[in-house]
Amino acid sequence: MRDGLARLFGPPGRDGGVGDQRRAAEVAAARRLCVITGGPGTGKTTTVVRIIALVVEAALARGGPAPRIALVAPTGKAAARLTEAVRRARDKLDVSDAVRDAIPEAAATIHRTLGSLPDVATRFRHDADHPLRDDVVVVDEASMVDAALMRRLVDALRPSARLVLLGDKDQLASVEAGAVLGDICGAGALRDCVVGLTHSYRFGPDSGIGALARAVNAGDADAALAILTGAGHPDVTLVTPTGGGRARDVLDPALARCVVDGYRPYLQAAAVLAGAIAGERTDDGPGAGTDGGAGALIAAERACLDAFDGFRVLGAHRQGRDGVDALNPRIARVLADAGWLDPTARMYLGRPVIVTRNDYDVRLFNGDIGVVLPDPARPGRRRVVFAAADGGVRALAAARLPAHDTAFALSVHKAQGSEFDTVAVVLPDSVSPVLSRELLYTAVTRARRAVTVFGSEAVVRAAIERPIERASGLASRLG
């Protein structure tokens, strides 16, 4: 394994990001539990794929079979993102084809891996008496896993299995009880199992997003506000609402401009696609939708989805005047007034939707996001298109869509595990119990390139100065 470590991570003693990643690999090789924590862009997925390669290489070198490996995540969307990330990282590995082929391509939800039983939400097919067959289990977005589900997963592991947890301990904890990842990272008895990745490959030394995230994490409200209001970091901005959008059904003018600019690229792509499909229909049947045939149609649909992921509005609340439920119809009205959509029909062209309930029959899961686009096979009808892990798309007739909501605006909780080029964070106009340091940090770090926070300095300060404290009991048990 020493040769593999040097080949995949470089020589020992290196400083910076690669050195931390190598230490994580050494921990994972030596222990049954390894926890890799770090912010966005610190290389958690890249590291774990290399770790898996090392484990596979070692098994094959001993003359044994490749280990059975499970990649899991708490939600369907997180599992899909893990699948995409692992495939990208696997293709770049300096390993043999036998090792590469043994690294799994697909991730699944924890519920699906454990084997959910019909009508029994708290029981699974796999437990301590019927353990999983996997030799290595990797859990991504571990901060989102609640205490009860983590316990059931650990119970279902064989005593010889390795468990690798990936996540950002500073993000929002799970909606349900517990702050499992944070408690594990803070437990003295497990300190030798935890490796923190601190070098960001996404946010350089001049990044305002990176600087803001560090200030928020440190609880330094003065530094955070200086970054937000100063001229030194153009990628982060604080906009105090002017009062022009105080009516419940009216969007603040500055936010309205931001929304039109942010969503224009994907709506323009959707309109061009609709025109191409309509223009290529013939008496003999529908055309492929673009001049290049079915492949070009898929590429155009995927481009529309990717453009939609270039921008997102995030809300701290679900309900209330500044909550997601109120923001979505107001955003739709602003875009309609700008001439980009017609929201009079339920499934209007360009409507973004988020699935709110798992549906294994159609393979859509809570948190999956799609866009309503023209159905090239049925004139005048719509279908909902979702991104597929292989870079293509999956389409579903609108009538078969599971329970869903409009997704122009998402709650910060729903946005966990997602990334967007640009983010608009909408805070309430007064201090709220929902606001916290972790919520603001999670919201800010969803952005890759730029973030605008809509709220007052007082509300931002209150959020940063209020860390979440959860008494789950796990921390005291771990010691």
Side-chain angles (χ1 to χ4, degrees), residues 209-265:
I209 298 175
L212 178 59
R214 291 190 294 272
V216 172
N217 247 344
D220 191 340
D222 290 336
L225 287 167
I227 293 166
L228 280 167
T229 58
H233 297 289
D235 55 332
V236 294
T237 308
L238 179 67
V239 176
T240 301
T242 63
R246 302 322 301 166
R248 184 177 180 84
D249 60 347
V250 177
L251 214 56
D252 181 83
L255 179 56
R257 290 191 295 271
C258 183
V259 161
V260 172
D261 290 342
Y263 285 133
R264 181 187 292 112

Side-chain angles (χ1 to χ4, degrees), residues 133-165:
R133 298 174 63 247
D134 303 290
D135 302 298
V136 181
V137 176
V138 176
V139 184
D140 196 20
E141 298 293 348
S143 65
M144 298 169 62
V145 183
D146 62 70
L149 184 58
M150 185 66 80
R151 175 184 175 182
R152 284 168 173 79
L153 176 61
V154 172
D155 282 346
L157 298 178
R158 294 187 298 115
S160 60
R162 298 177 191 269
L163 177 63
V164 182
L165 304 180

Side-chain angles (χ1 to χ4, degrees), residues 227-446:
I227 293 166
L228 280 167
T229 58
H233 297 289
D235 55 332
V236 294
T237 308
L238 179 67
V239 176
T240 301
T242 63
R246 302 322 301 166
R248 184 177 180 84
D249 60 347
V250 177
L251 214 56
D252 181 83
L255 179 56
R257 290 191 295 271
C258 183
V259 161
V260 172
D261 290 342
Y263 285 133
R264 181 187 292 112
Y266 102 89
L267 290 168
Q268 189 170 31
V272 170
L273 178 61
I277 290 175
E280 291 191 16
R281 297 188 185 279
T282 70
D283 293 338
D284 297 326
T290 63
D291 292 338
L297 170 63
I298 292 172
E301 290 176 327
R302 182 60 189 244
C304 183
L305 293 172
D306 291 343
F308 178 64
D309 275 345
F311 173 76
R312 196 72 85 250
V313 176
L314 303 182
H317 295 141
R318 180 170 180 82
Q319 299 179 337
R321 204 203 71 83
D322 297 303
V324 169
D325 289 347
L327 284 171
N328 271 305
R330 286 150 63 191
I331 292 172
R333 189 173 300 109
V334 164
L335 294 172
D337 290 343
W340 286 110
L341 54 82
D342 178 8
T344 52
R346 191 175 69 88
M347 284 295 174
Y348 53 86
L349 178 68
R351 180 191 176 194
V353 297
I354 180 169
V355 175
T356 58
R357 187 180 65 228
N358 294 341
D359 189 326
Y360 291 98
D361 291 336
V362 298
R363 293 183 298 118
L364 288 174
F365 306 97
N366 185 10
D368 286 350
I369 291 179
V371 173
V372 177
L373 294 174
D375 187 336
R378 299 186 299 169
R381 303 294 290 274
R382 309 282 192 226
R383 63 180 187 175
V384 187
V385 178
F386 296 85
D390 62 2
V393 300
R394 294 181 53 226
L396 186 73
R400 298 192 62 198
L401 192 65
H404 58 277
D405 290 326
T406 302
F408 288 117
L410 300 177
S411 69
V412 177
H413 270 287
K414 281 287 187 183
Q416 277 187 275
S418 298
E419 298 169 358
F420 314 98
D421 290 337
T422 305
V423 166
V425 181
V426 180
L427 299 179
D429 58 3
S430 59
V431 176
S432 158
V434 173
L435 288 177
S436 68
R437 181 182 304 169
E438 291 82 359
L439 183 140
L440 185 57
Y441 169 81
T442 303
V444 166
T445 55
R446 298 312 89 205

Side-chain angles (χ1 to χ4, degrees), residues 185-223:
C185 291
L190 297 177
R191 67 167 62 92
D192 293 337
C193 300
V194 179
V195 179
L197 305 183
T198 57
H199 178 79
S200 176
Y201 295 92
R202 180 180 305 163
F203 305 130
D206 298 327
S207 166
I209 298 175
L212 178 59
R214 291 190 294 272
V216 172
N217 247 344
D220 191 340
D222 290 336

